[in-house]
Amino acid sequence: MPDQHHPLPAAELLALDRQHVWHPYGPMPGRQEPLVISSASGVRLRLAEPSQGQDELVDGMSSWWSAIHGYNHPALNEAVTDQLGRMSHVMFGGLTHEPAVRLATRLVEITPPGLEHVFLADSGSVSVEVAVKMCLQYWRSTGRSGKTRLLTWRGGYHGDTWTPMGVCDPEGGMHELWSGILPQQLFADVPPSGFDAPVDPAYADHLRSLLAAHADELAAVIVEPVVQGAGGMRFHHPGYLRVLRELCDEYDVLLVLDEIATGFGRTGALFAADHAGITPDVMCLGKSLTGGYLTLAATLCTERVANGISRGAVPILAHGPTFMGNPLATAVALASIDLLLGQDWQREVKRIEAGLSQGLAPARELPGVRDVRVLGAIGVVQLTHEVDVAAATRAAVREGVWIRPFRDLIYVMPPFVTGDADVARICRAVCAAAQEG
């Protein structure tokens, strides 16, 4: 057995990794050797051994959207350390504690008005499970048990557990394998592309026709607002959210917004729903909720949803993760929110947006590039073909940057503390990856 108190040599660690560790979205054993990270600080990941001539990499991914303040931040470290000295965990059934209560209260204060109740979970995917369970139980509790299906639009991604897989794009997505086994949900066409493109009346009519035809069986509409993430990194006009809000009200269907990736400033608004000025019935949060320190998610709902469930024959929401409301996670989440809102985060996101727009513009002229798009602190280069992930990653690492391409996309979402020089470096790395990949 390795001695946990002494770091393993990188070669030995990689051998054990290949033998025992199953990495996300990969085979077992893995076919590509991962890079070994020894530490991280600011926006830099330090490598245990040099790779492509680099000792450290600028993180262009915020650890999959989450590390918005970078790594090893003193304020977040202090929050974790302080809470660790009090208690690291206590069960949430029948007990409560200050970090969880303060976090729930803070989330109610900063999210769209009307979201009054907070259910804390351990991951974004679980928060979607909880959101769907809320919606289904609401209708069952109010005597309309036939409303059991979900409507979404194609191109979406909501997580890898069972119910979220059912509302991911069933064709060409990561979960196509499960077609015919997952519950059959209702899918609208992909929303028209372009954050600044005007709302297409024909698409609004398309949404209306689906809700009108299926209102009696629809429990909820669930979508990623403004930005569709892992399903294709597409941006759409916020007006479509207003269309959905109006249609859901008209046809008596609940509206769920999955803000796991878009929440906490990533798109230039604190929440993507703010671009549209609407309040959903249920909202899911995760990823950057804790600043990337610990896994935590939240499902918020309106008084209507909570009261509807509470009036039912089973007046409880029968869901309770073991680590629900974890004190360490809720304490650092509260510190992360305070850190974000205690600064001019909008200026920082706009600065990164300008840097990405300028730095990625040359990619438009590269062969094999279909589109380049930027929104907030999100930059996307879409190719005309599948990315050669290994080649594209090597090219980026040579430039001193960590990215993680997939499908036909080379995309970045830097931490909000990324300086201008590092944003430019990230853009050079994306352009290099597009040429190689």
Side-chain angles (χ1 to χ4, degrees):
M1 289 289 292
D3 184 347
Q4 63 179 340
H5 300 295
H6 294 88
L8 291 172
E12 184 180 350
L13 189 149
L14 285 169
L16 290 169
D17 182 279
R18 181 173 177 80
Q19 184 177 358
H20 299 300
V21 180
W22 204 326
H23 285 267
Y25 309 114
M28 185 69 223
R31 300 192 184 105
Q32 295 178 16
E33 191 172 89
L35 299 177
V36 180
I37 303 302
S38 61
S39 64
S41 183
V43 299
R44 282 172 164 71
L45 309 174
R46 294 191 177 88
L47 300 173
E49 286 192 340
S51 178
Q52 305 292 314
Q54 302 291 339
D55 294 310
E56 62 181 19
L57 305 176
V58 175
D59 180 17
M61 304 301 293
S62 295
S63 282
W64 273 336
W65 309 77
S66 64
I68 55 175
H69 307 297
Y71 300 89
N72 208 14
H73 195 287
L76 303 189
N77 288 357
E78 182 181 359
V80 173
T81 303
D82 179 70
Q83 184 57 44
L84 187 62
R86 301 169 188 272
M87 60 179 171
S88 60
H89 184 59
V90 65
M91 66 182 290
F92 213 50
L95 303 174
T96 195
H97 51 81
E98 186 174 349
V101 174
R102 291 181 62 204
L103 175 62
T105 303
R106 194 78 165 112
L107 290 175
V108 169
E109 291 170 350
I110 66 175
T111 51
L115 294 168
E116 297 292 334
H117 307 289
V118 183
F119 190 97
L120 297 168
D122 12 25
S123 75
S125 184
V126 174
S127 78
V128 174
E129 298 274 3
V130 171
V132 172
K133 183 180 284 188
M134 282 180 175
C135 295
L136 295 177
Q137 190 168 344
Y138 170 82
W139 292 115
R140 180 156 294 195
S141 297
T142 54
R144 301 180 67 183
S145 58
K147 291 170 76 68
T148 60
R149 296 186 72 190
L150 305 172
L151 169 66
T152 187
W153 45 36
R154 292 187 179 275
Y157 172 81
H158 298 278
D160 298 334
T161 55
W162 196 249
T163 301
M165 285 199 301
V167 284
C168 295
D169 198 320
E171 296 180 8
M174 286 188 288
H175 305 312
E176 188 175 9
L177 172 67
W178 305 107
S179 295
I181 303 174
L182 290 166
Q184 298 298 301
Q185 309 296 3
L186 192 62
F187 288 86
D189 296 339
V190 173
S193 295
F195 179 81
D196 296 317
V199 171
D200 181 356
Y203 187 76
D205 289 343
H206 168 60
L207 294 174
R208 173 178 288 278
S209 67
L210 287 172
L211 269 88
H214 299 276
D216 289 344
E217 61 176 335
L218 283 177
V221 173
I222 177 169
V223 297
E224 299 159 284
V226 175
V227 177
Q228 292 182 288
M233 297 302 297
R234 299 178 186 88
F235 309 152
H236 56 262
H237 193 285
Y240 294 113
L241 304 180
R242 289 191 288 270
V243 169
L244 284 176
R245 179 69 278 176
E246 292 166 4
L247 291 174
C248 285
D249 289 342
E250 181 177 351
Y251 291 102
D252 206 12
V253 176
L254 298 176
L255 177 61
V256 180
L257 293 188
D258 176 352
E259 294 242 21
I260 293 163
T262 54
F264 303 101
R266 180 58 66 177
T267 68
L270 189 58
F271 299 99
D274 296 337
H275 287 295
I278 66 162
T279 297
D281 299 290
V282 182
M283 175 185 278
C284 300
L285 301 175
K287 289 193 180 292
S288 56
L289 176 57
T290 68
Y293 268 60
L294 290 163
T295 182
L296 181 69
T299 306
L300 290 82
C301 73
T302 61
E303 194 79 29
R304 172 195 178 188
V305 173
N307 284 347
I309 292 171
S310 297
R311 291 197 304 268
V314 180
I316 62 169
L317 183 64
H319 204 95
T322 300
F323 290 93
M324 181 177 179
N326 173 259
L328 286 177
T330 50
V332 75
L334 191 62
S336 178
I337 293 170
D338 288 345
L339 182 61
L340 178 67
L341 300 185
Q343 60 184 311
D344 192 349
W345 64 269
Q346 289 174 305
R347 181 184 64 187
E348 296 305 302
V349 171
K350 287 179 181 177
R351 176 184 58 79
I352 292 172
E353 182 178 49
L356 292 175
S357 296
Q358 179 180 354
L360 295 180
R364 299 182 191 277
E365 308 304 320
L366 295 176
V369 170
R370 172 176 295 163
D371 187 35
V372 176
R373 49 190 180 269
V374 174
L375 178 65
I378 307 169
V380 183
V381 173
Q382 185 171 12
L383 306 183
T384 58
H385 56 275
E386 290 279 321
V387 179
D388 182 335
V389 173
T393 302
R394 285 194 300 269
V397 169
R398 281 196 298 270
E399 297 291 333
V401 174
W402 173 248
I403 60 173
R404 186 65 174 169
F406 75 104
R407 285 170 41 177
D408 59 346
L409 302 166
I410 302 172
Y411 70 108
V412 292
M413 63 278 292
F416 298 167
V417 296
T418 308
D420 292 342
D422 284 334
V423 171
R425 190 175 190 178
I426 289 170
C427 293
R428 290 194 299 272
V430 170
C431 291
Q435 286 181 298
E436 292 291 328

